[in-house]
Amino acid sequence: MTMRVHVKVRRFDPDTDQSPWWSEHDLDAEPSDRVLDVLNKIKWEQDGKLAYRRSCAHGICGSDAMRINGMNYLACKVLVKDLGSNITVEPLLGLPVIKDLIVDMELFFEHYRSIMPYLVNNDPVPTKERLQSPEEHERYDDTTKCILCAACTTSCPSFWATGDYLGPSAIVQAHRFIFDSRDQAAADRLDILNQSSGVWRCRTIYNCTSACPKEIKVTKAIGEVKKALLFNRF
Amino acid sequence: MYHQYDAIIVGAGGAGLMAALYASKGVKTAVLSKLYPTRSHTGAAQGGINASLANLEEDHWEWHMFDTTKGSDYLGDQEAIEAMCRAAPELVYEMEHMGLPFDRTPEGLIMQRPFGGHTRNYGEAPVKRACHSADRTGHMILQTLYQQCIKQGVTFFDEFQVVDLIENDGVVNGVVAYEIATGKLHTFHGKSVLFATGGYGRVWSFTSNAHALTGDGLAIANRHGIPLQDMEFFQFHPTGLYPLGILITEAVRGEGGILRNSEGERFMERYAPTIKDLAPRDMVSRSIYLEIQEGRGIDGKYVYLDATHLGREKIEEKLPEIADFCRTYIGVDPVVDPMPVHPTAHYAMGGIPTNILGEVLRDGDGNIVPGFYAAGECACVSVHGANRLGCNSLLDIIVFGKWAGQQMAQFSQENDFVPLPSEPDGPTRAALDVLRAATGDEHAGKIRSEMQHTMMEKVSVFREEPGIQQEIQLLRELQDRYNRVQLADQGETFNTELLEAWELGCLLDLAEVTAACALNRTESRGAHSREDYPTRDDVNWLKHSLAYQTDSGVDIQYRPVSITRFQPKERKY
């Protein structure tokens, strides 16, 4: 059953605008439409200038994280029927806005790169696979789901307060390797996360866990990294 | 702005990143991607990557080669298929060594499962060949390769959209890229250029493909006089989630899921008595269309994929992503209810013709375009022939990405830079100016939608001459209307409206090439099913088609198929 929705979008075009403003749009939507479908309709039928990132449209690529009715979502993973007829869309908080819903992701990826997000294993390479038991695999499985969308990091008040904080996503990525039985650089990553920009900035607010579109237990993962630091166990 | 690199890689999915890892070991390499690399559509691949590891039961690369050849309806080049299937185990181990978190057997080996068209002992029964990470294998491959690129310090130009190829006297020596954040044009001067730009599924309305899959690389190459091979073969994956088209992995059937019609019947038993629901995709998609046509679809629109008998634990452990899709988008819990599915435009078997080293071919005699390489879905090597088997695409990108990267490094070490032509970005500047300056009452979105819906109707799972001809006529009208698309955004910063319009130009080109090739091939083979020519015709059509763009339309020539071990036979499952 088609419904009428009123959509407010936070806009800013550096080529023409002095300061941000709101555009407002009334349109028909299906309850099962994704917010991304709604944005596409606005762009393709009402206002070609509207700018946002998108690609896969089903919650895999992580392009379209944004703030929708005050919460971080992927626009392609939240449906109109779950939001009601008034929808407010804003860019992610805590990263500089480039245009409309597009933010500068460089700081986010800089933090990602800083935690050594790759397997380190200096042993001679075996001719077949390295063995890993299902239990050892299970230990870090949850944090392999991260799609680097930044929904968690930009929902974190500690990150809003200081962009130096590496943020939940970078810690999730570090967790993925720290607890991988094949990896040999856990101590180096823990040193990085033990600094003032690391895990101790986390105040266990759980915004990150609520925001994660892949339902990763982000706060739990951060807790496990903290425990590893306190008890030197991983 | 001018940049100089030995190797220039366009596209940062699996093929591009694998090529980058290998090219950058030898020469100065840059990767250009219109998305952030981790947004690439390799990440959407779900079910697995094939290799005859024999971790759970007997398997051999010869069996894998046979299945791939038969799956291709004998149009795949057997020399390339053999090379890929032989290399598969080593490459999968290499991915594991890079850190890929495969699911594991109780002994700690890489876990494997059955997949469509993969059999033991030349067709006897399904075999466990697909190595996987739950149902996010592509995501893990993309992440792992990107991680390794960071480790190795590969240079990336993120959100740089390549819009033209540069050549000088028949040698490819660079690309022109549009920097999306600033609207500036950049000239990349190189000794070797690789296109790994992915597919073009956005030609159709019902598709598993990302918005970004607009076939840019194919269209650019074709505009430069390079042929596109086997474009009439586009795979419709049988199980797209209705009504969205999102991929529901074949692993559901690999794990025991069953397709049922409105009468609850397991209809694949009639179409493929031996391997039933695990028949190759072209056959299953046709079967679903026929069931719906004959009145056994649900609401006349779709069929059911039933996984309810697998139990909650198996679905949560082995198929968590697709369970999430169903719950999120259509409110169906696959633990309790069957999933509504319909064939969805999924994968281009055709593309830029290459040899095994990734070198691009310019004609049917195997002559190459010096300096130019292609790998992955945008390329046609051809290991998939007329129909790709599941889990062979992730293998394809790893194998041929690696070999292309190695070859680029070698070529770049042995050759000097060829000077650029004067004003290499001139044609791009002019083309974008035309787009910006066009006036009229047409909308790109409307033209795109008309193309997508009519291609779905006339040139999808089944085709016949009158429908294809109507479509070609319509596409020409759409091309004409495309010249009157007026853009609202005249800015420089993230002008995504301009880029979407430019991409639509690529899609329209590729739709026409696809339709022209579909009209030309008067037989049915693999994914190309002509209702007016329902049988395979090896006498006249056991050959690749090569489509060239000319002023008077699409000109089609041919290339022989490499047949080494397996002579064509009737294809039964």
Side-chain angles (χ1 to χ4, degrees):
Chain A
M1 196 172 47
T2 305
M3 58 193 273
R4 196 77 183 154
V5 291
H6 181 73
V7 186
K8 276 176 69 179
V9 187
R10 186 81 164 162
R11 305 292 293 273
F12 177 70
D13 182 344
D15 297 340
T16 52
D17 298 331
Q18 298 287 319
S19 53
W21 55 283
W22 294 94
S23 66
E24 305 205 22
H25 312 266
D26 291 292
L27 65 155
D28 290 332
E30 299 301 321
S32 60
D33 276 349
R34 300 158 276 201
V35 170
L36 179 61
D37 297 318
V38 172
L39 292 174
N40 284 341
K41 259 185 211 172
I42 294 171
K43 183 172 182 67
W44 295 341
E45 293 168 18
Q46 298 188 4
D47 184 353
K49 287 185 173 183
L50 176 63
Y52 48 94
R53 292 189 178 102
R54 86 286 179 271
S55 188
C56 80
H58 64 284
I60 289 291
C61 78
S63 296
D64 62 351
M66 52 188 76
R67 201 168 148 84
I68 298 167
N69 287 2
M71 299 273 288
N72 280 3
Y73 292 100
L74 297 179
C76 64
K77 243 200 136 188
V78 58
L79 307 187
V80 168
K81 67 174 181 207
D82 298 322
L83 296 168
S85 51
N86 287 299
I87 300 172
T88 304
V89 189
E90 302 164 78
L92 295 172
L93 292 178
L95 293 171
V97 173
I98 300 176
K99 181 181 178 183
D100 295 345
L101 301 171
I102 293 171
V103 295
D104 185 344
M105 298 286 288
E106 184 42 37
L107 179 64
F108 174 81
F109 280 106
E110 190 184 311
H111 288 341
Y112 166 70
R113 289 190 298 267
S114 76
I115 54 86
M116 305 169 67
Y118 38 78
L119 190 84
V120 177
N121 184 316
N122 296 317
D123 294 342
V125 176
T127 52
K128 293 192 169 183
E129 66 265 67
R130 292 194 179 94
L131 297 181
Q132 183 168 60
S133 73
E135 294 72 30
E136 286 169 333
H137 173 246
E138 177 63 26
R139 185 69 193 84
Y140 67 100
D141 182 58
D142 195 41
T143 45
T144 65
K145 295 173 189 162
C146 176
I147 57 172
L148 297 168
C149 69
C152 60
T153 296
T154 59
S155 74
C156 174
S158 302
F159 179 76
W160 297 339
T162 165
D164 292 343
Y165 174 38
L166 295 177
S169 176
I171 301 170
V172 159
Q173 290 289 340
H175 179 284
R176 177 252 171 277
F177 292 102
I178 290 169
F179 294 96
D180 185 335
S181 58
R182 300 168 296 174
D183 185 78
Q184 298 171 339
D188 298 325
R189 288 191 200 89
L190 287 170
D191 278 348
I192 295 165
L193 296 176
N194 201 20
Q195 291 165 16
S196 63
S197 57
V199 285
W200 308 115
R201 295 250 172 209
C202 166
R203 298 288 189 275
T204 333
I205 298 161
Y206 281 90
N207 275 12
C208 51
T209 303
S210 311
C212 179
K214 306 313 286 184
E215 296 177 16
I216 298 170
K217 297 177 186 72
V218 182
T219 314
K220 179 169 176 254
I222 298 173
E224 288 174 357
V225 173
K226 286 178 178 171
K227 259 190 222 161
L229 276 167
L230 284 174
F231 306 111
N232 201 22
R233 269 209 313 262
F234 48 87
Chain B
M1 198 181 280
Y2 174 85
H3 311 260
Q4 197 182 60
Y5 288 88
D6 296 316
I8 296 164
I9 289 167
V10 184
L17 295 181
M18 195 71 180
L21 280 175
Y22 276 89
S24 65
K25 284 179 185 167
V27 295
K28 191 178 163 195
T29 302
V31 182
L32 282 64
S33 170
K34 68 177 178 178
L35 305 169
Y36 277 101
T38 57
R39 315 299 186 217
S40 305
H41 209 54
T42 294
Q46 296 170 0
I49 174 168
N50 287 317
S52 54
L53 304 185
N55 280 354
L56 291 113
E57 56 186 335
E58 185 182 357
D59 199 7
H60 303 281
W61 69 261
E62 292 93 336
W63 295 358
H64 185 186
M65 181 187 170
F66 171 77
D67 291 336
T68 303
T69 305
K70 182 179 172 187
S72 80
D73 220 347
Y74 296 91
L75 191 70
D77 285 316
Q78 293 185 27
E79 189 193 352
I81 296 173
E82 175 168 341
M84 178 180 81
C85 296
R86 274 176 180 268
E90 183 194 322
L91 268 289
V92 167
Y93 292 138
E94 184 177 344
M95 296 304 298
E96 196 281 332
H97 299 153
M98 288 181 186
L100 202 142
F102 284 110
D103 289 359
R104 299 290 174 152
T105 68
E107 299 76 31
L109 303 171
I110 293 170
M111 184 63 111
Q112 299 185 274
R113 66 178 155 215
F115 237 77
H118 291 282
T119 68
R120 65 183 307 283
N121 203 20
Y122 308 103
E124 273 180 18
V127 71
K128 291 174 178 159
R129 185 177 291 151
C131 312
H132 59 272
S133 282
D135 55 354
R136 53 174 186 282
T137 315
H139 165 75
M140 293 323 325
I141 287 181
L142 184 65
Q143 294 286 325
T144 302
L145 290 173
Y146 187 55
Q147 291 157 5
Q148 292 297 310
C149 285
I150 290 171
K151 189 177 185 182
Q152 210 170 291
V154 171
T155 303
F156 283 95
F157 291 86
D158 298 332
E159 297 186 323
F160 274 57
Q161 185 147 357
V162 167
V163 286
D164 201 9
L165 195 61
I166 305 170
E167 51 182 335
N168 198 350
D169 206 15
V171 177
V172 166
N173 62 343
V175 296
V176 179
Y178 178 95
E179 184 181 4
I180 302 174
T182 64
K184 289 193 169 51
L185 288 182
H186 295 251
T187 297
F188 286 81
H189 186 190
K191 293 177 179 172
S192 56
V193 172
L194 171 80
F195 272 12
T197 54
Y200 66 104
R202 283 279 155 182
V203 158
W204 290 271
S205 56
F206 195 76
T207 178
S208 65
N209 281 201
H211 285 287
L213 290 177
T214 50
D216 309 359
L218 286 85
I220 292 169
N222 209 210
R223 287 167 189 171
H224 277 266
I226 290 159
L228 298 178
Q229 180 170 296
D230 294 342
M231 292 292 280
E232 59 272 42
F233 300 102
F234 199 93
Q235 178 165 82
F236 282 74
H237 191 293
T239 57
L241 185 64
Y242 188 86
L244 295 164
I246 296 171
L247 176 66
I248 297 295
T249 174
E250 199 170 294
V252 174
R253 284 170 285 139
E255 297 290 351
I258 289 168
L259 287 162
R260 295 188 191 282
N261 59 24
S262 61
E263 294 161 10
E265 183 204 8
R266 183 181 192 179
F267 57 86
M268 282 312 299
E269 282 181 332
R270 275 187 279 119
Y271 297 96
T274 308
I275 58 175
K276 303 181 179 78
D277 298 272
L278 286 174
R281 292 175 178 171
D282 58 333
M283 293 182 75
V284 181
S285 284
R286 277 194 294 277
S287 306
I288 293 173
Y289 260 72
L290 291 172
E291 288 300 302
I292 295 171
Q293 253 174 37
E294 289 166 14
R296 292 186 295 275
I298 293 103
D299 296 338
K301 291 175 179 157
Y302 53 86
V303 297
Y304 280 134
L305 176 57
D306 185 0
T308 56
H309 54 289
L310 299 184
R312 180 174 299 277
E313 201 181 331
K314 191 164 192 181
I315 289 176
E316 302 296 353
E317 188 198 338
K318 295 286 188 182
L319 307 162
E321 287 281 335
I322 63 101
D324 180 42
F325 296 153
C326 293
R327 290 167 188 150
T328 302
Y329 295 116
I330 59 167
V332 165
D333 183 352
V335 174
V336 184
D337 292 305
M339 297 165 260
V341 294
H342 183 278
T344 183
H346 185 58
Y347 185 88
M349 271 73 72
I352 303 167
T354 71
N355 60 24
I356 288 173
L357 301 173
E359 295 168 323
V360 171
L361 308 178
R362 70 158 71 250
D363 57 36
D365 298 326
N367 292 310
I368 65 164
V369 184
F372 193 29
Y373 299 80
E377 189 175 344
C378 76
C380 182
V381 53
S382 147
V383 285
H384 309 305
N387 172 64
R388 174 173 72 75
L389 293 190
C391 301
N392 268 354
S393 58
L394 288 179
L395 179 59
D396 169 357
I397 60 178
I398 298 305
V399 171
F400 295 104
K402 174 176 174 172
W403 293 345
Q406 288 174 326
Q407 188 61 25
M408 290 173 84
Q410 192 186 329
F411 179 88
S412 302
Q413 281 161 346
E414 291 169 356
N415 289 277
D416 287 329
F417 283 98
V418 173
L420 291 174
S422 63
E423 276 198 79
D425 60 356
T428 302
R429 210 170 284 282
L432 293 178
D433 282 348
V434 166
L435 270 178
R436 283 197 199 92
T439 54
D441 53 1
E442 294 291 350
H443 291 274
K446 216 171 153 193
I447 293 173
R448 186 173 51 229
S449 173
E450 276 185 48
M451 169 196 67
Q452 290 172 333
H453 284 94
T454 53
M455 283 295 286
M456 198 71 208
E457 207 179 304
K458 316 274 191 202
V459 194
S460 59
V461 171
F462 286 105
R463 301 105 186 248
E464 62 179 338
E465 183 174 331
I468 305 172
Q469 269 173 342
Q470 283 169 18
E471 182 63 24
I472 291 173
Q473 190 54 42
L474 177 82
L475 287 169
R476 291 195 182 132
E477 287 165 29
L478 293 178
Q479 292 273 13
D480 183 50
R481 286 168 54 191
Y482 176 67
N483 297 322
R484 299 193 298 278
V485 168
Q486 188 164 336
L487 301 179
D489 197 341
Q490 296 290 331
E492 301 291 339
T493 311
F494 272 94
N495 189 336
T496 53
E497 190 190 30
L498 175 70
L499 289 173
E500 283 185 9
W502 181 82
E503 289 170 338
L504 175 60
C506 295
L507 288 171
L508 285 167
D509 278 12
L510 297 174
E512 189 182 343
V513 172
T514 302
C517 291
L519 180 66
N520 183 59
R521 185 177 283 269
T522 50
E523 66 156 353
S524 287
R525 181 187 298 271
H528 174 66
S529 278
R530 285 283 298 259
E531 288 180 287
D532 40 359
Y533 297 91
T535 53
R536 197 175 81 192
D537 174 2
D538 286 340
V539 174
N540 294 301
W541 288 106
L542 187 55
K543 56 188 177 184
H544 299 292
S545 50
L546 295 176
Y548 295 82
Q549 269 188 43
T550 69
D551 290 339
S552 55
V554 179
D555 175 43
I556 298 171
Q557 298 179 24
Y558 302 97
R559 229 190 114 213
V561 176
S562 148
I563 297 170
T564 56
R565 287 174 183 256
F566 302 111
Q567 287 304 312
K569 276 198 272 190
E570 195 192 351
R571 191 160 157 256
K572 279 187 182 166
Y573 286 93

